[in-house]
Amino acid sequence: MNIMIIGGVAAGTKAAAKLKRQDRNLNVTVYTKSSDISYAGCGLPYYVGGEIASREELIVNSPEKFTALTGAVVRTGMEAVKVEPNTKTVTFHNLKNGAEETEKYDQLILAVGADAVVPKITGAGLEGVFTMRTPSDAVGLREYIKENSCRSAVVAGAGFIGLEIAENLMAQGLQVTVVDMADQVMPNLFDVEMADYIRRQLQERGLRIVTGAALEEIVGEQRASGIRTSVSSINCDVVILALGVRPATEFLEDTGIAMDRGTILVDKYQKTNVEDIYAVGDCAQVYNRITGKGQWSAMGSTANITGRCLAKNLTGEKAEYGGCMGTGVVRMAKDLNAGRTGLTEEQAKTAGFDAVSVTCVSDDKAHYYPDASSFVTKLVADRQSRKILGIQVVGAGEVDKMVDIAVTGIALNAKVDDFDTLDFAYAPPFSTAIHPFVQACYILENKMSGAFETFTPAEYAAGAAKGYQVIDVLPQPGIPGAKWVDLGKVNGPVEGLNLEDKLMLVCARGKRGYFLQNRLKAFGYTNTRVLEGGITVNRVKVPSAGGKLTPEEIKRVKGLGCLQDKRYPDVFNVRVITRNGKITAQEQRDIAEAAERFGSGAVTMTTRLTLEIQGVHYDDIPELLSYLKERGLDTGGTGSLVRPVVSCKGTTCQYGLLDSFDLSEKLHERFYLGYHGVTLPHKFKIAVGGCPNNCVKPDLNDLGIVGQRIPMVNYSKCRGCAKCQVEQNCPIHAAKMQDGKIFIDPQICNHCGRCKERCPFGALEEFKDGYKVYIGGRWGKKIANGRPLSKIFTTEEEVFDVVEKAILLFRDEGLSGERFADTIARLGFNYVEDKLLHSEVNKEAVLKKTVKGGASC
């Protein structure tokens, strides 16, 4: 029996290996277009991120090794171009010598897989545009990033592969933007509220996400420099297309093999409609185990399973494929994983089920164990049969264990109640005493019985809670504008709440809300709902009563960069952080659009070179912040923290001693962003000046950096001219002729560099460039001029080191409410200077301290 297999990755090699194990007498030959076989396609993103060190680690087997292990023959570089079912022949194009070869088969297995989708748009063929399908793709991307010192990337596609590659690009230090034409991440994989939770979590970790944006063009001349979408343009150094895959079956169109949108139709035994032709893997359509309908499952797991089943079917055994469930798991960050299987709630309803769901938050292991975290779980079931239909899980831990339990349950037609008493493994490092999956089942059972009456996150987002009073059930008051109820003291009707009032009970996860609901029902309350997932999953907003906000809420909003317009009770100006005043043209447009949508339409510039969107109503703040975040823009710049760094335009003035923009951007990243969660005794402002003109007043900041150009006079070239050009051109008269030679008074010279090359004989051609650092300045109610440290710093790293020492010293030895200038005055300048220039700082110990900030704005 001559069995020909076209395709040598997952399904093809699995079928070949199993066929030879089943029957050593079979003649099995694998033909593949690639030079590689059996490579780890799912590992490609992790090669890009560096976790997989070498290309060789991605290759599971070489052709030679595979033949030695299995006995199947492998022919690489063979592209199938035509299949003739009548003559049972396949024509190949030999990529090594260009010849065409025709081979006969008795049985043919099509395992040709799928190709990455590359849209037909301008720029798709530019250098710096990559897909992520083969080892060569991953190798090429990693090398391109290194060789071109890439700092930013755009990933088109927010599915599994897109988010995996985004994580690994961020691990390489790139700023990453993910765009998708759908209105959510993970479209068709997660329900919208779970996808929204994932999006917020990723954005908090620094990933920029733009949804509802169709890719229209890749911009660039020779290489990619950005993209244009249906909503905006984004600059970047490299573009990765993760838009999905399509079956590589174009060469089969005239064979008579039945296909649906390019996928080969097969029965439960992988047989096509053509005699002796079978199909497995990414090129074949399987079926959904729950609905029984055809489904494409381009997954390595499906490929391996169906490849093995086919081999058994061809060798006399009966191995019916049981169907797929769309199972998948993904790591999106070091502490953020997501997994799913079965039907989403939306898919279940579309399939005709009476779907009911619950969204809950549970510990992933014993809460007291050191690395304990939580699972956000959405469990979907059929209300009438009570059978489980699907699950979606997000968390820092092993979400796959939750998904795998659901897979088993769905496959065995298990009901929610069937898990109640199952003896799952328990120990504090691994799980909770009642398994988190079982907890989700309990909660759903309570909901189906009516004991737990709720709003789902989707219902709440759609406005179902309108007219309900928000009741804060957190251990301490934490929901601005809500009435707080102390759960432990509820032993009867709650003062101020009538028995018929519509009450929405909100806590961190939903558990305390359920406990309060249970008590309130016992005391006669008839209209309570618990918000599933609490404030962990939902963004809860309490409408202000008559426009009046509490002082606590105003303080909270101010911490987000929203400053109250004192003329109104509920109108704010929102600070958009810039990189020392520099923003891109697209960011300008985005800010202007935000001002039009959410504010008065006006944008102002602050003295700290941030922008303020004017006239934003309190109720519009969450939408505005989300809109800006999606476009890579942040708000803030208030509180007892390192403030946004400002600078002059150092390279465009007459001095131009340093690239103040570049230096201030680096300082901004290291200390405004890098120290953003570090509370200080008061605000700490940093300014960079490109020359001694001090346009941005560096010496009126807590720490100021000024570019320096120190003259190094070559006296052997000084002719002692009667009319010295250096003396004539010194703007501050620090240069004078003295005893027939030029003398530059170090007590007067401000190192402006204007004397450079003024001497026609070359006495002033050499200079030492550096940085002067001022400490202890401030402006405002109590102005103080900073004093310069005695050392002139000559490298950026020296500057970064002294800035960090100053911040840590202020945190360590400053008193709450005092500015850095006050700290220096109290400790003494000489003491502080010695600390900054000559002492080591225990950064870890200083950051562990508890510090109370005193900034009021």
Side-chain angles (χ1 to χ4, degrees):
M1 176 70 70
N2 178 25
I3 299 180
M4 177 188 294
I5 300 175
I6 306 177
V9 187
T13 54
K14 173 59 72 173
K18 184 62 176 174
L19 282 167
K20 292 296 287 186
R21 287 197 297 271
Q22 292 283 99
D23 186 349
R24 294 295 295 178
N25 294 318
L26 290 175
N27 180 20
V28 179
T29 306
V30 178
Y31 294 83
T32 177
K33 179 180 177 181
S34 172
S35 59
D36 297 311
I37 67 162
S38 194
Y39 57 79
C42 298
L44 301 181
Y46 304 101
Y47 173 83
V48 173
E51 288 188 69
I52 297 174
S54 67
R55 184 185 190 279
E56 289 68 31
E57 293 176 70
L58 293 170
I59 310 302
V60 179
N61 273 311
S62 67
E64 298 77 17
K65 182 179 176 183
F66 183 79
T67 297
L69 286 171
T70 66
V73 175
V74 178
R75 295 195 62 188
T76 60
M78 299 292 285
E79 180 183 9
V81 294
K82 190 174 184 180
V83 174
E84 291 281 5
N86 293 330
T87 60
K88 288 193 172 183
T89 58
V90 178
T91 301
F92 293 94
H93 177 61
N94 189 322
L95 300 177
K96 298 174 183 176
N97 58 26
E100 284 200 349
E101 301 179 19
T102 300
E103 303 289 344
K104 291 187 67 66
Y105 66 83
D106 294 316
Q107 291 178 324
L108 174 63
I109 298 174
L110 298 171
V112 292
D115 295 324
V117 171
V118 178
K120 295 179 180 179
I121 57 173
T122 302
L126 286 171
E127 184 181 351
V129 179
F130 294 86
T131 57
M132 197 51 47
R133 189 65 182 164
T134 69
S136 296
D137 295 332
V139 171
L141 175 57
R142 196 162 94 173
E143 289 178 351
Y144 186 86
I145 291 170
K146 183 178 180 180
E147 291 170 0
N148 294 279
S149 301
C150 295
R151 297 178 64 183
S152 60
V154 164
V155 178
F160 280 148
I161 296 297
L163 296 183
E164 282 177 339
I165 195 66
E167 179 214 354
N168 282 281
L169 290 169
M170 290 177 69
Q172 292 282 44
L174 277 73
Q175 293 180 323
V176 183
T177 302
V178 173
V179 300
D180 200 293
M181 68 183 297
D183 291 330
Q184 65 172 77
V185 299
M186 301 286 198
N188 303 315
L189 296 169
F190 287 79
D191 281 311
V192 64
E193 69 273 26
M194 294 294 284
D196 189 55
Y197 175 75
I198 291 170
R199 178 183 58 79
R200 296 200 310 270
Q201 292 296 312
L202 289 172
Q203 287 182 162
E204 287 177 7
R205 288 158 175 79
L207 181 64
R208 180 185 178 190
I209 299 174
V210 182
T211 53
L215 180 63
E216 295 183 343
E217 180 184 1
I218 298 174
V219 181
E221 296 295 332
Q222 301 299 319
R223 60 179 59 177
S225 60
I227 66 166
R228 182 175 61 81
T229 74
S230 56
V231 298
S232 66
S233 296
I234 303 168
N235 296 326
C236 64
D237 299 320
V238 63
V239 176
I240 297 88
L241 301 176
L243 299 168
V245 295
R246 58 168 58 97
T249 56
E250 290 185 4
F251 73 104
L252 299 172
E253 288 181 356
D254 59 352
T255 59
I257 297 172
M259 291 189 282
D260 176 21
R261 288 168 293 180
T263 58
I264 302 169
L265 299 180
V266 297
D267 63 13
K268 295 181 179 181
Y269 302 95
Q270 298 78 53
K271 191 179 188 318
T272 72
N273 65 310
V274 177
E275 190 68 26
D276 290 325
I277 296 181
Y278 305 82
V280 287
D282 292 357
C283 64
Q285 184 179 110
V286 288
Y287 71 97
N288 185 282
R289 188 174 194 124
I290 302 170
T291 67
K293 295 181 179 179
Q295 181 169 324
W296 190 32
S297 179
M299 301 288 287
S301 52
T302 304
N304 276 278
I305 292 167
T306 55
R308 187 177 191 276
C309 286
L310 175 56
K312 295 176 71 175
N313 289 326
L314 292 180
T315 53
E317 294 188 41
K318 188 176 181 180
E320 179 179 317
Y321 175 62
C324 70
M325 287 185 269
T327 307
V329 66
V330 59
R331 190 186 78 186
M332 300 171 291
K334 295 294 184 184
D335 59 347
L336 187 67
N337 306 311
R340 55 94 61 213
T341 195
L343 304 178
T344 65
E345 184 174 12
E346 188 65 30
Q347 290 166 346
K349 290 176 179 177
T350 301
F353 291 99
D354 183 10
V356 59
S357 74
V358 74
T359 301
C360 57
V361 185
S362 58
D363 294 330
D364 63 354
K365 54 178 66 71
H367 67 87
Y368 51 82
Y369 197 76
D371 65 343
S373 184
S374 59
F375 289 138
V376 175
T377 302
K378 180 170 184 177
L379 188 63
V380 183
D382 178 60
R383 192 184 304 271
Q384 295 182 353
S385 69
R386 302 179 74 86
K387 290 181 181 179
I388 291 178
L389 298 176
I391 195 171
Q392 300 157 53
V393 192
V394 182
E398 293 78 10
V399 299
D400 58 312
K401 70 180 182 182
M402 298 282 283
V403 172
D404 288 344
I405 292 171
V407 167
T408 306
I410 294 170
L412 298 177
N413 293 313
K415 299 177 181 179
V416 178
D417 322 70
D418 291 337
F419 295 89
D420 286 2
T421 60
L422 293 188
D423 191 12
F424 289 113
Y426 163 64
F430 301 99
S431 185
T432 49
I434 296 178
H435 196 281
F437 186 91
V438 177
Q439 290 183 43
C441 291
Y442 286 168
I443 297 168
L444 185 53
E445 289 168 35
N446 285 338
K447 181 174 178 176
M448 289 192 287
S449 72
F452 185 41
E453 297 180 78
T454 72
F455 288 123
T456 68
E459 290 170 338
Y460 176 67
K466 186 177 181 180
Y468 279 75
Q469 182 179 356
V470 177
I471 304 299
D472 180 351
V473 199
L474 293 164
Q476 300 294 329
I479 302 175
K483 178 180 176 60
W484 179 65
V485 171
D486 187 346
L487 174 62
K489 295 182 179 179
V490 176
N491 295 304
V494 179
E495 184 178 352
L497 299 180
N498 297 319
L499 298 181
E500 67 278 3
D501 285 350
K502 293 182 175 181
L503 307 175
M504 184 174 74
L505 315 178
V506 184
C507 60
R509 299 178 168 190
K511 186 176 182 179
R512 291 173 64 88
Y514 169 60
F515 289 166
L516 178 60
Q517 183 180 64
N518 183 267
R519 292 190 188 189
L520 292 179
K521 283 184 176 182
F523 300 134
Y525 286 84
T526 59
N527 204 344
T528 63
R529 295 288 187 93
V530 178
L531 181 58
E532 294 178 16
I535 60 173
T536 300
V537 177
N538 303 273
R539 288 182 288 187
V540 178
K541 181 172 66 176
V542 180
S544 55
K548 186 175 181 180
L549 302 174
T550 65
E552 293 77 17
E553 178 61 359
I554 292 173
K555 182 178 180 181
R556 183 190 73 84
V557 174
K558 184 185 291 183
L560 300 174
C562 310
L563 305 179
Q564 186 182 24
D565 186 327
K566 301 303 188 293
R567 297 172 296 175
Y568 309 102
D570 56 357
V571 176
F572 293 78
N573 298 336
V574 180
R575 285 185 179 175
V576 183
I577 301 304
T578 67
R579 300 168 297 278
N580 53 47
K582 184 169 73 173
I583 55 177
T584 67
Q586 182 57 47
E587 288 170 337
Q588 290 268 22
R589 289 189 285 269
D590 289 336
I591 293 169
E593 177 68 20
E596 290 279 355
R597 286 195 191 187
F598 306 104
S600 66
V603 180
T604 59
M605 178 73 79
T606 74
T607 56
R608 296 299 295 175
L609 301 182
T610 61
L611 297 175
E612 282 190 4
I613 296 174
Q614 303 290 293
V616 180
H617 192 274
Y618 169 77
D619 291 338
D620 292 327
I621 289 175
E623 286 77 13
L624 169 62
L625 300 186
S626 178
Y627 178 88
L628 293 172
K629 192 78 173 177
E630 288 178 358
R631 286 150 182 81
L633 295 164
D634 290 312
T635 62
T638 60
S640 298
L641 304 166
V642 176
R643 295 298 178 84
V645 181
V646 298
S647 79
C648 70
K649 286 71 179 170
T651 55
T652 59
C653 74
Q654 60 181 324
Y655 296 98
L657 302 185
L658 59 81
D659 187 345
S660 51
F661 262 142
D662 182 67
L663 178 60
S664 59
E665 284 192 30
K666 292 173 181 174
L667 290 163
H668 181 89
E669 288 186 14
R670 287 203 185 197
F671 302 112
Y672 174 71
L673 298 177
Y675 271 69
H676 205 56
V678 178
T679 300
L680 302 175
H682 212 293
K683 54 192 168 189
F684 191 92
K685 298 180 177 180
I686 303 171
V688 180
C691 74
N693 275 352
N694 293 343
C695 298
V696 295
K697 308 295 186 290
D699 63 336
L700 291 179
N701 285 262
D702 296 277
L703 189 143
I705 301 162
V706 180
Q708 303 283 284
R709 184 161 291 157
I710 306 165
M712 313 289 285
V713 181
N714 186 340
Y715 289 103
S716 66
K717 293 184 179 182
C718 177
R719 303 289 181 86
C721 301
K723 190 174 182 179
C724 175
Q725 294 299 312
V726 175
E727 182 179 4
Q728 292 288 317
N729 286 280
C730 180
I732 59 171
H733 309 297
K736 299 181 182 297
M737 291 302 296
Q738 187 172 301
D739 298 327
K741 293 288 184 181
I742 186 66
F743 171 71
I744 300 176
D745 190 339
Q747 301 303 315
I748 301 175
C749 180
N750 63 4
H751 307 153
C752 71
R754 286 291 297 278
C755 55
K756 186 175 183 180
E757 297 179 349
R758 289 291 182 180
C759 174
F761 304 105
L764 277 138
E765 291 182 336
E766 297 181 6
F767 286 75
K768 178 182 179 182
D769 289 339
Y771 313 84
K772 181 183 287 187
V773 175
Y774 291 81
I775 60 172
R778 70 175 177 206
W779 56 18
K781 290 178 289 187
K782 188 178 178 182
I783 296 174
N785 287 95
R787 288 178 60 182
L789 299 176
S790 58
K791 177 180 178 179
I792 299 296
F793 300 91
T794 58
T795 68
E796 287 186 349
E797 286 303 322
E798 286 183 314
V799 173
F800 298 148
D801 183 60
V802 78
V803 172
E804 185 164 46
K805 281 186 175 180
I807 294 169
L808 293 172
L809 184 144
F810 185 35
R811 176 176 168 80
D812 190 32
E813 302 196 42
L815 303 179
S816 178
E818 72 177 8
R819 292 293 296 274
F820 191 40
D822 301 323
T823 303
I824 294 170
R826 178 170 53 81
L827 299 176
F829 179 84
N830 292 337
Y831 171 84
V832 173
E833 181 178 49
D834 182 64
K835 281 274 191 177
L836 297 182
L837 298 184
H838 307 298
S839 299
E840 295 296 324
V841 179
N842 188 335
K843 179 178 177 179
E844 184 178 358
V846 173
L847 293 180
K848 284 182 177 179
K849 288 187 63 173
T850 298
V851 172
K852 182 179 180 181
S856 59
C857 64

